[in-house]
Short mmCIF file of all heavy atoms in Angstrom, two decimals:
data_model
loop_
_atom_site.label_atom_id
_atom_site.label_comp_id
_atom_site.label_asym_id
_atom_site.label_seq_id
_atom_site.Cartn_x
_atom_site.Cartn_y
_atom_site.Cartn_z
N MET A 22 1.99 73.65 -101.06
CA MET A 22 1.55 74.97 -100.64
C MET A 22 0.12 75.22 -101.13
O MET A 22 -0.26 74.78 -102.21
CB MET A 22 2.51 76.03 -101.22
CG MET A 22 2.11 77.46 -100.89
SD MET A 22 3.15 78.66 -101.77
CE MET A 22 4.53 78.75 -100.65
N PHE A 23 -0.62 75.94 -100.29
CA PHE A 23 -2.01 76.26 -100.64
C PHE A 23 -2.22 77.76 -100.58
O PHE A 23 -1.68 78.44 -99.69
CB PHE A 23 -2.97 75.55 -99.69
CG PHE A 23 -2.98 74.07 -99.88
CD1 PHE A 23 -2.04 73.27 -99.24
CD2 PHE A 23 -3.91 73.47 -100.71
CE1 PHE A 23 -2.02 71.90 -99.42
CE2 PHE A 23 -3.90 72.09 -100.90
CZ PHE A 23 -2.95 71.31 -100.26
N LEU A 24 -3.00 78.26 -101.48
CA LEU A 24 -3.31 79.69 -101.55
C LEU A 24 -4.80 79.87 -101.30
O LEU A 24 -5.63 79.23 -101.96
CB LEU A 24 -2.91 80.22 -102.93
CG LEU A 24 -3.14 81.69 -103.25
CD1 LEU A 24 -2.13 82.15 -104.31
CD2 LEU A 24 -4.55 81.96 -103.75
N SER A 25 -5.13 80.72 -100.33
CA SER A 25 -6.54 80.98 -100.02
C SER A 25 -6.86 82.44 -100.26
O SER A 25 -6.04 83.32 -99.99
CB SER A 25 -6.83 80.65 -98.55
OG SER A 25 -6.58 79.29 -98.29
N ILE A 26 -8.06 82.67 -100.75
CA ILE A 26 -8.51 84.05 -100.98
C ILE A 26 -9.76 84.33 -100.17
O ILE A 26 -10.78 83.66 -100.32
CB ILE A 26 -8.79 84.28 -102.48
CG1 ILE A 26 -7.52 83.97 -103.29
CG2 ILE A 26 -9.25 85.71 -102.71
CD1 ILE A 26 -7.69 84.09 -104.77
N ASP A 27 -9.63 85.29 -99.27
CA ASP A 27 -10.73 85.68 -98.38
C ASP A 27 -11.74 86.50 -99.19
O ASP A 27 -11.46 87.61 -99.63
CB ASP A 27 -10.15 86.50 -97.22
CG ASP A 27 -11.19 86.81 -96.16
OD1 ASP A 27 -12.37 86.99 -96.53
OD2 ASP A 27 -10.82 86.88 -94.99
N ALA A 28 -12.92 85.94 -99.37
CA ALA A 28 -13.94 86.58 -100.20
C ALA A 28 -14.40 87.91 -99.60
O ALA A 28 -14.78 88.83 -100.33
CB ALA A 28 -15.14 85.65 -100.38
N ASP A 29 -14.34 88.03 -98.28
CA ASP A 29 -14.79 89.28 -97.64
C ASP A 29 -13.80 90.42 -97.83
O ASP A 29 -14.18 91.59 -97.82
CB ASP A 29 -15.02 89.04 -96.15
CG ASP A 29 -16.18 88.10 -95.90
OD1 ASP A 29 -17.11 88.08 -96.73
OD2 ASP A 29 -16.15 87.39 -94.88
N LYS A 30 -12.52 90.07 -97.97
CA LYS A 30 -11.49 91.10 -98.12
C LYS A 30 -11.27 91.49 -99.57
O LYS A 30 -10.83 92.60 -99.86
CB LYS A 30 -10.16 90.60 -97.54
CG LYS A 30 -10.16 90.51 -96.02
CD LYS A 30 -8.77 90.08 -95.55
CE LYS A 30 -8.72 89.97 -94.03
NZ LYS A 30 -7.41 89.43 -93.59
N CYS A 31 -11.53 90.57 -100.49
CA CYS A 31 -11.27 90.84 -101.91
C CYS A 31 -12.17 91.96 -102.43
O CYS A 31 -13.38 91.89 -102.31
CB CYS A 31 -11.50 89.57 -102.73
SG CYS A 31 -11.28 89.84 -104.51
N MET A 32 -11.51 93.00 -103.00
CA MET A 32 -12.26 94.14 -103.53
C MET A 32 -12.18 94.23 -105.05
O MET A 32 -12.62 95.21 -105.64
CB MET A 32 -11.70 95.44 -102.91
CG MET A 32 -11.94 95.54 -101.43
SD MET A 32 -13.71 95.69 -101.07
CE MET A 32 -13.76 95.00 -99.43
N GLY A 33 -11.57 93.22 -105.66
CA GLY A 33 -11.55 93.17 -107.12
C GLY A 33 -10.54 94.08 -107.78
O GLY A 33 -10.75 94.55 -108.90
N HIS A 34 -9.43 94.36 -107.10
CA HIS A 34 -8.40 95.20 -107.71
C HIS A 34 -7.74 94.53 -108.92
O HIS A 34 -7.20 95.21 -109.78
CB HIS A 34 -7.31 95.54 -106.69
CG HIS A 34 -7.81 96.33 -105.54
ND1 HIS A 34 -8.20 97.64 -105.66
CD2 HIS A 34 -8.02 95.98 -104.24
CE1 HIS A 34 -8.60 98.08 -104.47
NE2 HIS A 34 -8.50 97.09 -103.61
N GLY A 35 -7.72 93.21 -108.90
CA GLY A 35 -7.20 92.47 -110.05
C GLY A 35 -5.69 92.30 -110.08
O GLY A 35 -5.14 91.77 -111.04
N ARG A 36 -5.02 92.76 -109.07
CA ARG A 36 -3.55 92.66 -109.11
C ARG A 36 -3.06 91.23 -108.98
O ARG A 36 -2.01 90.88 -109.50
CB ARG A 36 -2.94 93.51 -108.00
CG ARG A 36 -3.21 94.98 -108.19
CD ARG A 36 -2.41 95.79 -107.22
NE ARG A 36 -2.87 97.16 -107.20
CZ ARG A 36 -2.44 98.08 -106.36
NH1 ARG A 36 -1.55 97.76 -105.45
NH2 ARG A 36 -2.90 99.29 -106.41
N CYS A 37 -3.81 90.41 -108.27
CA CYS A 37 -3.35 89.04 -108.03
C CYS A 37 -3.30 88.25 -109.33
O CYS A 37 -2.30 87.62 -109.64
CB CYS A 37 -4.25 88.36 -107.01
SG CYS A 37 -5.98 88.32 -107.48
N TYR A 38 -4.36 88.29 -110.11
CA TYR A 38 -4.36 87.46 -111.33
C TYR A 38 -3.49 88.07 -112.43
O TYR A 38 -3.08 87.37 -113.33
CB TYR A 38 -5.77 87.13 -111.83
CG TYR A 38 -6.73 88.27 -112.01
CD1 TYR A 38 -6.67 89.10 -113.11
CD2 TYR A 38 -7.73 88.49 -111.06
CE1 TYR A 38 -7.57 90.13 -113.28
CE2 TYR A 38 -8.64 89.53 -111.21
CZ TYR A 38 -8.56 90.35 -112.32
OH TYR A 38 -9.45 91.37 -112.45
N MET A 39 -3.19 89.36 -112.30
CA MET A 39 -2.22 89.93 -113.24
C MET A 39 -0.80 89.53 -112.85
O MET A 39 0.06 89.39 -113.70
CB MET A 39 -2.38 91.45 -113.30
CG MET A 39 -3.63 91.86 -114.05
SD MET A 39 -3.71 93.62 -114.44
CE MET A 39 -4.34 94.27 -112.89
N SER A 40 -0.58 89.33 -111.56
CA SER A 40 0.74 88.90 -111.09
C SER A 40 0.96 87.41 -111.29
O SER A 40 2.10 86.97 -111.46
CB SER A 40 0.89 89.21 -109.59
OG SER A 40 0.87 90.58 -109.38
N ALA A 41 -0.11 86.65 -111.24
CA ALA A 41 0.00 85.20 -111.34
C ALA A 41 -1.04 84.63 -112.29
O ALA A 41 -1.93 83.88 -111.91
CB ALA A 41 -0.17 84.57 -109.95
N PRO A 42 -0.91 84.98 -113.59
CA PRO A 42 -1.92 84.55 -114.56
C PRO A 42 -1.98 83.04 -114.77
O PRO A 42 -2.99 82.52 -115.23
CB PRO A 42 -1.51 85.28 -115.85
CG PRO A 42 -0.05 85.57 -115.67
CD PRO A 42 0.14 85.81 -114.20
N GLY A 43 -0.89 82.35 -114.42
CA GLY A 43 -0.91 80.91 -114.58
C GLY A 43 -1.63 80.20 -113.45
O GLY A 43 -1.93 79.00 -113.53
N LEU A 44 -1.94 80.95 -112.40
CA LEU A 44 -2.51 80.36 -111.20
C LEU A 44 -3.93 80.87 -110.94
O LEU A 44 -4.80 80.14 -110.52
CB LEU A 44 -1.60 80.72 -110.02
CG LEU A 44 -1.77 80.01 -108.71
CD1 LEU A 44 -1.53 78.51 -108.88
CD2 LEU A 44 -0.79 80.57 -107.69
N LEU A 45 -4.14 82.16 -111.21
CA LEU A 45 -5.42 82.79 -110.91
C LEU A 45 -6.00 83.42 -112.17
O LEU A 45 -5.27 83.77 -113.09
CB LEU A 45 -5.22 83.87 -109.83
CG LEU A 45 -4.59 83.39 -108.53
CD1 LEU A 45 -4.25 84.58 -107.64
CD2 LEU A 45 -5.52 82.43 -107.80
N SER A 46 -7.31 83.58 -112.18
CA SER A 46 -7.97 84.20 -113.33
C SER A 46 -9.05 85.14 -112.83
O SER A 46 -9.39 85.16 -111.64
CB SER A 46 -8.56 83.12 -114.24
OG SER A 46 -9.42 82.28 -113.49
N ASP A 47 -9.61 85.92 -113.75
CA ASP A 47 -10.64 86.89 -113.36
C ASP A 47 -12.02 86.38 -113.75
O ASP A 47 -12.18 85.59 -114.68
CB ASP A 47 -10.37 88.24 -114.02
CG ASP A 47 -10.35 88.15 -115.54
OD1 ASP A 47 -9.87 87.14 -116.08
OD2 ASP A 47 -10.84 89.10 -116.18
N ASP A 48 -13.01 86.84 -113.00
CA ASP A 48 -14.39 86.50 -113.39
C ASP A 48 -14.96 87.67 -114.19
O ASP A 48 -14.27 88.66 -114.48
CB ASP A 48 -15.24 86.16 -112.15
CG ASP A 48 -15.47 87.35 -111.23
OD1 ASP A 48 -15.17 88.51 -111.63
OD2 ASP A 48 -15.94 87.13 -110.11
N GLU A 49 -16.21 87.58 -114.56
CA GLU A 49 -16.78 88.60 -115.45
C GLU A 49 -16.96 89.96 -114.77
O GLU A 49 -17.17 90.97 -115.43
CB GLU A 49 -18.11 88.11 -116.05
CG GLU A 49 -19.20 87.75 -115.07
CD GLU A 49 -18.99 86.38 -114.43
OE1 GLU A 49 -18.15 85.59 -114.92
OE2 GLU A 49 -19.67 86.09 -113.41
N GLU A 50 -16.83 90.00 -113.45
CA GLU A 50 -16.95 91.28 -112.73
C GLU A 50 -15.60 91.88 -112.37
O GLU A 50 -15.53 92.92 -111.70
CB GLU A 50 -17.79 91.08 -111.47
CG GLU A 50 -19.23 90.69 -111.79
CD GLU A 50 -20.04 90.37 -110.55
OE1 GLU A 50 -19.44 89.99 -109.52
OE2 GLU A 50 -21.26 90.52 -110.62
N GLY A 51 -14.53 91.20 -112.73
CA GLY A 51 -13.20 91.72 -112.44
C GLY A 51 -12.61 91.23 -111.13
O GLY A 51 -11.49 91.58 -110.78
N PHE A 52 -13.37 90.46 -110.40
CA PHE A 52 -12.84 89.84 -109.19
C PHE A 52 -12.04 88.61 -109.59
O PHE A 52 -12.19 88.08 -110.69
CB PHE A 52 -13.97 89.40 -108.25
CG PHE A 52 -14.67 90.54 -107.58
CD1 PHE A 52 -15.77 91.12 -108.18
CD2 PHE A 52 -14.24 91.03 -106.35
CE1 PHE A 52 -16.43 92.18 -107.57
CE2 PHE A 52 -14.89 92.08 -105.74
CZ PHE A 52 -15.99 92.67 -106.35
N VAL A 53 -11.19 88.16 -108.65
CA VAL A 53 -10.47 86.93 -108.94
C VAL A 53 -11.48 85.77 -108.90
O VAL A 53 -12.32 85.68 -108.00
CB VAL A 53 -9.31 86.74 -107.94
CG1 VAL A 53 -9.79 86.67 -106.50
CG2 VAL A 53 -8.50 85.50 -108.29
N ALA A 54 -11.41 84.91 -109.90
CA ALA A 54 -12.41 83.84 -110.02
C ALA A 54 -12.32 82.84 -108.88
O ALA A 54 -13.31 82.17 -108.56
CB ALA A 54 -12.21 83.12 -111.36
N GLN A 55 -11.15 82.77 -108.24
CA GLN A 55 -10.96 81.82 -107.14
C GLN A 55 -11.31 82.45 -105.78
O GLN A 55 -10.95 81.91 -104.73
CB GLN A 55 -9.51 81.32 -107.14
CG GLN A 55 -9.17 80.43 -108.34
CD GLN A 55 -8.92 81.22 -109.63
OE1 GLN A 55 -8.74 82.43 -109.61
NE2 GLN A 55 -8.91 80.52 -110.76
N ARG A 56 -12.02 83.56 -105.78
CA ARG A 56 -12.42 84.24 -104.54
C ARG A 56 -13.17 83.28 -103.62
O ARG A 56 -14.09 82.59 -104.05
CB ARG A 56 -13.32 85.40 -104.94
CG ARG A 56 -13.67 86.35 -103.85
CD ARG A 56 -14.22 87.64 -104.42
NE ARG A 56 -15.21 87.45 -105.47
CZ ARG A 56 -16.39 88.07 -105.52
NH1 ARG A 56 -16.72 88.92 -104.59
NH2 ARG A 56 -17.21 87.86 -106.52
N GLY A 57 -12.74 83.26 -102.37
CA GLY A 57 -13.39 82.40 -101.39
C GLY A 57 -12.95 80.94 -101.45
O GLY A 57 -13.50 80.10 -100.75
N GLN A 58 -11.94 80.67 -102.26
CA GLN A 58 -11.48 79.29 -102.43
C GLN A 58 -10.05 79.11 -101.92
O GLN A 58 -9.31 80.08 -101.74
CB GLN A 58 -11.50 78.90 -103.91
CG GLN A 58 -12.88 78.93 -104.54
CD GLN A 58 -12.82 78.63 -106.03
OE1 GLN A 58 -11.87 78.03 -106.53
NE2 GLN A 58 -13.84 79.06 -106.75
N THR A 59 -9.71 77.86 -101.72
CA THR A 59 -8.32 77.48 -101.46
C THR A 59 -7.86 76.63 -102.62
O THR A 59 -8.54 75.67 -102.98
CB THR A 59 -8.20 76.68 -100.15
OG1 THR A 59 -8.57 77.53 -99.06
CG2 THR A 59 -6.77 76.19 -99.92
N VAL A 60 -6.76 77.02 -103.22
CA VAL A 60 -6.24 76.25 -104.36
C VAL A 60 -4.85 75.73 -104.04
O VAL A 60 -4.07 76.38 -103.34
CB VAL A 60 -6.20 77.09 -105.66
CG1 VAL A 60 -7.59 77.54 -106.06
CG2 VAL A 60 -5.28 78.29 -105.52
N GLU A 61 -4.54 74.55 -104.54
CA GLU A 61 -3.21 74.00 -104.35
C GLU A 61 -2.26 74.63 -105.36
O GLU A 61 -2.59 74.75 -106.54
CB GLU A 61 -3.23 72.48 -104.51
CG GLU A 61 -1.89 71.85 -104.16
CD GLU A 61 -1.99 70.34 -103.96
OE1 GLU A 61 -3.07 69.76 -104.19
OE2 GLU A 61 -0.98 69.75 -103.55
N VAL A 62 -1.12 75.07 -104.87
CA VAL A 62 -0.13 75.71 -105.73
C VAL A 62 0.85 74.65 -106.23
O VAL A 62 1.52 74.00 -105.44
CB VAL A 62 0.65 76.79 -104.94
CG1 VAL A 62 1.72 77.42 -105.83
CG2 VAL A 62 -0.30 77.84 -104.38
N PRO A 63 0.92 74.46 -107.55
CA PRO A 63 1.87 73.49 -108.10
C PRO A 63 3.30 73.87 -107.70
O PRO A 63 3.61 75.05 -107.53
CB PRO A 63 1.67 73.61 -109.61
CG PRO A 63 0.33 74.21 -109.78
CD PRO A 63 0.13 75.11 -108.59
N GLU A 64 4.14 72.86 -107.59
CA GLU A 64 5.52 73.06 -107.12
C GLU A 64 6.24 74.21 -107.83
O GLU A 64 6.90 75.02 -107.21
CB GLU A 64 6.29 71.74 -107.33
CG GLU A 64 7.55 71.63 -106.55
CD GLU A 64 7.33 71.64 -105.05
OE1 GLU A 64 6.31 71.07 -104.59
OE2 GLU A 64 8.16 72.23 -104.35
N GLY A 65 6.09 74.29 -109.13
CA GLY A 65 6.83 75.29 -109.90
C GLY A 65 6.21 76.67 -109.89
O GLY A 65 6.72 77.58 -110.54
N MET A 66 5.11 76.87 -109.14
CA MET A 66 4.42 78.16 -109.18
C MET A 66 4.40 78.87 -107.84
O MET A 66 3.64 79.82 -107.64
CB MET A 66 2.99 77.94 -109.67
CG MET A 66 2.97 77.35 -111.06
SD MET A 66 1.36 77.43 -111.83
CE MET A 66 1.31 79.12 -112.29
N ARG A 67 5.28 78.45 -106.95
CA ARG A 67 5.30 79.07 -105.62
C ARG A 67 5.67 80.54 -105.68
O ARG A 67 5.13 81.35 -104.93
CB ARG A 67 6.28 78.32 -104.71
CG ARG A 67 5.77 76.94 -104.37
CD ARG A 67 6.67 76.23 -103.42
NE ARG A 67 6.04 74.99 -102.99
CZ ARG A 67 6.36 74.35 -101.88
NH1 ARG A 67 7.29 74.81 -101.10
NH2 ARG A 67 5.72 73.25 -101.56
N GLU A 68 6.60 80.85 -106.57
CA GLU A 68 7.02 82.26 -106.68
C GLU A 68 5.85 83.12 -107.16
O GLU A 68 5.62 84.23 -106.66
CB GLU A 68 8.18 82.35 -107.66
CG GLU A 68 9.07 83.56 -107.42
CD GLU A 68 10.37 83.46 -108.20
OE1 GLU A 68 11.08 82.44 -108.06
OE2 GLU A 68 10.65 84.42 -108.93
N GLU A 69 5.11 82.61 -108.13
CA GLU A 69 3.94 83.35 -108.62
C GLU A 69 2.90 83.52 -107.52
O GLU A 69 2.28 84.57 -107.38
CB GLU A 69 3.29 82.59 -109.80
CG GLU A 69 3.68 83.14 -111.14
CD GLU A 69 2.85 82.57 -112.28
OE1 GLU A 69 1.65 82.83 -112.33
OE2 GLU A 69 3.41 81.86 -113.10
N ALA A 70 2.72 82.48 -106.73
CA ALA A 70 1.76 82.55 -105.62
C ALA A 70 2.18 83.62 -104.62
O ALA A 70 1.34 84.40 -104.14
CB ALA A 70 1.66 81.19 -104.93
N GLN A 71 3.46 83.69 -104.33
CA GLN A 71 3.96 84.70 -103.40
C GLN A 71 3.77 86.10 -103.98
O GLN A 71 3.38 87.04 -103.28
CB GLN A 71 5.44 84.44 -103.09
CG GLN A 71 6.00 85.36 -102.01
CD GLN A 71 5.34 85.15 -100.67
OE1 GLN A 71 5.36 84.05 -100.13
NE2 GLN A 71 4.72 86.20 -100.13
N GLU A 72 4.02 86.23 -105.29
CA GLU A 72 3.84 87.53 -105.94
C GLU A 72 2.38 87.96 -105.89
O GLU A 72 2.08 89.13 -105.68
CB GLU A 72 4.34 87.46 -107.38
CG GLU A 72 5.86 87.49 -107.46
CD GLU A 72 6.38 87.26 -108.88
OE1 GLU A 72 5.58 87.37 -109.83
OE2 GLU A 72 7.57 86.96 -109.01
N ALA A 73 1.47 87.02 -106.09
CA ALA A 73 0.05 87.34 -106.03
C ALA A 73 -0.33 87.81 -104.63
O ALA A 73 -1.06 88.80 -104.46
CB ALA A 73 -0.78 86.12 -106.42
N ALA A 74 0.16 87.12 -103.62
CA ALA A 74 -0.15 87.49 -102.24
C ALA A 74 0.41 88.88 -101.93
O ALA A 74 -0.26 89.72 -101.31
CB ALA A 74 0.42 86.45 -101.28
N ASP A 75 1.64 89.12 -102.38
CA ASP A 75 2.28 90.41 -102.12
C ASP A 75 1.56 91.54 -102.88
O ASP A 75 1.56 92.69 -102.43
CB ASP A 75 3.75 90.37 -102.56
CG ASP A 75 4.59 89.46 -101.68
OD1 ASP A 75 4.13 89.10 -100.58
OD2 ASP A 75 5.71 89.12 -102.10
N ALA A 76 0.97 91.22 -104.02
CA ALA A 76 0.36 92.24 -104.86
C ALA A 76 -1.01 92.69 -104.36
O ALA A 76 -1.47 93.77 -104.70
CB ALA A 76 0.21 91.70 -106.29
N CYS A 77 -1.65 91.88 -103.56
CA CYS A 77 -3.02 92.21 -103.13
C CYS A 77 -3.01 93.32 -102.08
O CYS A 77 -2.51 93.12 -100.98
CB CYS A 77 -3.72 90.98 -102.57
SG CYS A 77 -5.40 91.39 -102.01
N PRO A 78 -3.58 94.48 -102.40
CA PRO A 78 -3.56 95.59 -101.45
C PRO A 78 -4.51 95.39 -100.27
O PRO A 78 -4.45 96.13 -99.29
CB PRO A 78 -4.00 96.79 -102.32
CG PRO A 78 -4.78 96.19 -103.43
CD PRO A 78 -4.19 94.83 -103.68
N GLU A 79 -5.39 94.42 -100.35
CA GLU A 79 -6.35 94.16 -99.27
C GLU A 79 -5.87 93.07 -98.31
O GLU A 79 -6.54 92.79 -97.31
CB GLU A 79 -7.71 93.74 -99.86
CG GLU A 79 -8.29 94.71 -100.87
CD GLU A 79 -8.62 96.07 -100.27
OE1 GLU A 79 -8.85 96.14 -99.05
OE2 GLU A 79 -8.62 97.07 -101.02
N GLY A 80 -4.76 92.45 -98.63
CA GLY A 80 -4.28 91.36 -97.77
C GLY A 80 -5.24 90.17 -97.79
O GLY A 80 -5.37 89.45 -96.81
N ALA A 81 -5.91 89.99 -98.91
CA ALA A 81 -6.93 88.93 -99.00
C ALA A 81 -6.34 87.55 -99.27
O ALA A 81 -7.02 86.55 -99.10
CB ALA A 81 -7.93 89.28 -100.10
N ILE A 82 -5.08 87.51 -99.68
CA ILE A 82 -4.49 86.24 -100.08
C ILE A 82 -3.53 85.73 -99.01
O ILE A 82 -2.63 86.45 -98.58
CB ILE A 82 -3.73 86.40 -101.42
CG1 ILE A 82 -4.72 86.83 -102.51
CG2 ILE A 82 -3.04 85.09 -101.81
CD1 ILE A 82 -4.09 87.03 -103.86
N SER A 83 -3.76 84.52 -98.57
CA SER A 83 -2.85 83.91 -97.60
C SER A 83 -2.29 82.62 -98.18
O SER A 83 -2.95 81.92 -98.96
CB SER A 83 -3.56 83.65 -96.27
OG SER A 83 -4.71 82.85 -96.48
N LEU A 84 -1.05 82.32 -97.79
CA LEU A 84 -0.36 81.12 -98.25
C LEU A 84 -0.12 80.22 -97.06
O LEU A 84 0.22 80.69 -95.98
CB LEU A 84 0.96 81.50 -98.90
CG LEU A 84 0.88 82.38 -100.14
CD1 LEU A 84 2.26 82.82 -100.58
CD2 LEU A 84 0.17 81.66 -101.27
N ARG A 85 -0.30 78.93 -97.26
CA ARG A 85 -0.06 77.96 -96.20
C ARG A 85 0.68 76.76 -96.76
O ARG A 85 0.52 76.43 -97.93
CB ARG A 85 -1.38 77.47 -95.61
CG ARG A 85 -2.17 78.52 -94.88
CD ARG A 85 -3.40 77.90 -94.23
NE ARG A 85 -4.18 78.90 -93.50
CZ ARG A 85 -5.14 79.63 -94.04
NH1 ARG A 85 -5.45 79.45 -95.31
NH2 ARG A 85 -5.79 80.52 -93.33
N VAL A 86 1.46 76.16 -95.89
CA VAL A 86 2.18 74.95 -96.30
C VAL A 86 1.19 73.81 -96.51
O VAL A 86 1.25 73.07 -97.47
CB VAL A 86 3.24 74.58 -95.25
CG1 VAL A 86 3.88 73.23 -95.60
CG2 VAL A 86 4.30 75.66 -95.19
N ALA A 87 0.24 73.68 -95.59
CA ALA A 87 -0.80 72.66 -95.70
C ALA A 87 -2.16 73.34 -95.74
O ALA A 87 -2.30 74.49 -95.35
CB ALA A 87 -0.72 71.69 -94.53
N ALA A 88 -3.16 72.62 -96.22
CA ALA A 88 -4.48 73.22 -96.43
C ALA A 88 -5.14 73.65 -95.12
O ALA A 88 -5.91 74.59 -95.09
CB ALA A 88 -5.38 72.23 -97.15
N ASP A 89 -4.80 72.99 -94.03
CA ASP A 89 -5.56 73.23 -92.80
C ASP A 89 -4.71 73.73 -91.64
O ASP A 89 -5.05 73.58 -90.48
CB ASP A 89 -6.27 71.94 -92.37
CG ASP A 89 -5.28 70.80 -92.19
OD1 ASP A 89 -4.11 70.97 -92.52
OD2 ASP A 89 -5.71 69.73 -91.71
N THR A 90 -3.57 74.37 -91.96
CA THR A 90 -2.76 74.95 -90.89
C THR A 90 -2.42 76.38 -91.24
O THR A 90 -2.61 76.83 -92.36
CB THR A 90 -1.43 74.18 -90.68
OG1 THR A 90 -0.58 74.48 -91.78
CG2 THR A 90 -1.66 72.69 -90.59
N ASP A 91 -1.86 77.11 -90.28
CA ASP A 91 -1.43 78.48 -90.52
C ASP A 91 0.06 78.56 -90.75
O ASP A 91 0.63 79.64 -90.75
CB ASP A 91 -1.81 79.37 -89.32
CG ASP A 91 -3.31 79.57 -89.24
OD1 ASP A 91 -3.94 79.63 -90.30
OD2 ASP A 91 -3.83 79.64 -88.12
N ALA A 92 0.71 77.43 -90.91
CA ALA A 92 2.18 77.40 -91.05
C ALA A 92 2.62 78.14 -92.30
O ALA A 92 1.89 78.24 -93.26
CB ALA A 92 2.66 75.97 -91.08
S1 SF4 B 24 -5.61 91.59 -105.74
FE1 SF4 B 24 -6.69 91.06 -103.83
S2 SF4 B 24 -8.48 92.37 -103.85
FE2 SF4 B 24 -7.70 92.31 -105.94
S3 SF4 B 24 -8.81 90.65 -106.96
FE3 SF4 B 24 -6.93 89.80 -106.13
S4 SF4 B 24 -7.51 89.01 -104.10
FE4 SF4 B 24 -9.09 90.43 -104.75
#
């Protein structure tokens, strides 16, 4: 599973990295440090990844089975 964060949608609410501290972190401005990136979600952290996506009020986080599909 891959988690992508849309840099244009991210407003720095910080809910994602508070929901999934083992997967995401904050930068010095309070935005998620992985903004604009796609990260691979380790097998045991899928639930955290889903919680992070659900927590984002901007809908900036998307989850995919593979890096280059919308599945
Ligand atoms: S919760 Fe959403 S808007 Fe807030 S920092 Fe995370 S990705 Fe950005």
Side-chain angles (χ1 to χ4, degrees):
M22 178 187 275
F23 291 84
L24 180 153
S25 299
I26 302 177
D27 187 326
D29 294 330
K30 289 183 180 174
C31 177
M32 294 294 154
H34 297 290
R36 295 190 192 174
C37 57
Y38 52 78
M39 287 192 277
S40 295
L44 193 61
L45 303 171
S46 55
D47 60 323
D48 67 12
E49 59 282 346
E50 295 175 335
F52 288 90
V53 59
Q55 292 78 14
R56 189 164 46 132
Q58 298 176 22
T59 295
V60 298
E61 187 165 6
V62 178
E64 198 63 36
M66 299 194 77
R67 291 184 172 201
E68 205 168 307
E69 261 191 65
Q71 186 64 58
E72 284 173 15
D75 291 345
C77 179
E79 305 296 335
I82 299 180
S83 56
L84 298 172
R85 294 185 180 89
V86 173
D89 57 353
T90 73
D91 290 326

